[in-house]
Amino acid sequence: MPKMKTKSGAAKRFRVRAGGSIKRAQAFKRHILTKKSTKVKRQLRGISNVCASDVAMVRAMLPYA
């Protein structure tokens, strides 16, 4: 049986924590920041969990994570 390939785009975007949850970066933080308020930019800091409905899809893209 050949090895399964990891989706390289998903490997760059997601990390699996020790407990099994998957962390991701916040969207809407990369560019066009001048029209966003300071409050919005502050709330977009940090990381968050992948939504429960998307976890199965992300796990399929990361077979060895």
Side-chain angles (χ1 to χ4, degrees):
M1 190 76 187
K3 293 181 185 176
M4 296 173 68
K5 285 200 171 182
T6 297
K7 296 285 184 184
S8 62
K12 296 169 191 174
R13 287 171 171 83
F14 303 108
R15 293 286 180 264
V16 180
R17 292 186 173 122
S21 63
I22 303 171
K23 65 180 182 178
R24 65 166 177 86
Q26 285 280 3
F28 307 109
K29 191 66 186 1
R30 295 295 176 199
H31 61 108
I32 317 176
L33 297 173
T34 53
K35 63 177 72 170
K36 294 185 175 86
S37 68
T38 307
K39 179 181 178 179
V40 168
K41 290 185 278 192
R42 182 174 64 248
Q43 289 174 341
L44 288 173
R45 281 184 205 151
I47 54 174
S48 57
N49 289 333
V50 171
C51 183
S53 60
D54 295 327
V55 168
M57 183 171 54
V58 174
R59 287 197 188 282
M61 292 189 280
L62 302 170
Y64 297 107

